[in-house]
Amino acid sequence: DNHAVRQAQIASEIARREIDRQRFARHPTVDVVGSVGHARNSSVNFVGVRSNSATVGLQLAIPIYTGGGIDARAREAAALHSQSLADLETARRAAEQAARQAFLGLNSGLGQVRALEAAERSSQLALDSNLLGYQVGVRINIDVLNAQQQLFSTRRDLARARYDVLVNGLQLKATAGTLDEEDLRKVDALLVPAASVPAEPEGSSARPSGERGPRSKRRR
């Protein structure tokens, strides 16, 4: 269960039991009482007398008149219980809404990730095509730079979409009350440190090595 809903359920159960406790306050009560005593008397002749005593009994208490205090506390407990039920319903609705939003966001994010992955492949092909055209002289460096910028923008959007999918997945599990340490370890394993990100492959720069420089005109 959702943790907020579970907390509201416990609070409601405590309030309900408080009503019973206040109602039972007007009933007679029986208590078991007991005492233990130890005494020692010394005389001038240094002859002491020791005595031990123990008593056990029952004590009956009957509330005859309390000035309306018991009824007032019972009404207060009933009002607090009604409030706890309202808080429980509010927590349930909030949990349902949060779960629905996280689920829709997760599905939407997965679709966006798939679309951006296809766009990344397309941008990579466009960059490779422009690099090849640049090497044979049918493309200028601005064409390569534009294709490279488009590829990097797509990769940025893809990384952001993947991050949103991870967040929405964790939010959905947290709302359902099933998020645990294993889920966090799986997400942590997906995070790649900056030092381990592979460098750009050779040939993806705007000016390949060994070229004399950009041509200002297209070859006819």
Side-chain angles (χ1 to χ4, degrees), residues 28 66 72 111 117 148 153 165 172-173 195 199 203:
T66 60
E117 286 175 345
Q148 192 177 51
S153 297
V165 167
L172 181 59
K173 284 181 172 291

Side-chain angles (χ1 to χ4, degrees), residues 21-141:
R21 191 179 74 86
Q22 294 299 335
R23 287 176 178 173
F24 290 149
R26 62 168 57 93
H27 296 168
T29 59
V30 177
D31 298 323
V32 178
V33 296
S35 63
V36 176
H38 175 74
R40 179 177 180 180
N41 297 325
S42 300
S43 64
V44 294
N45 296 325
F46 301 99
V47 177
V49 178
R50 297 180 180 179
S51 62
N52 298 322
S53 63
T55 59
V56 177
L58 297 177
Q59 181 177 348
L60 175 64
I62 302 176
I64 299 176
Y65 178 73
T66 60
I70 295 178
D71 293 335
R73 288 191 295 270
R75 288 193 299 269
E76 180 184 6
L80 292 176
H81 181 239
S82 298
Q83 181 180 355
S84 67
L85 291 177
D87 294 340
L88 175 59
E89 183 63 23
T90 300
R92 284 175 175 170
R93 291 182 179 179
E96 290 176 359
Q97 182 178 3
R100 187 179 299 109
Q101 290 178 349
F103 180 75
L104 293 177
L106 180 61
N107 286 339
S108 175
L110 289 174
Q112 187 177 9
V113 167
R114 288 191 291 267
L116 288 172
E117 286 175 345
E120 182 187 22
R121 292 190 295 269
S122 177
S123 298
Q124 184 64 58
L125 291 175
L127 177 59
D128 295 340
S129 176
N130 279 279
L131 281 172
L132 181 60
Y134 178 83
Q135 292 172 357
V136 299
V138 296
R139 290 288 188 271
I140 59 176
N141 62 344

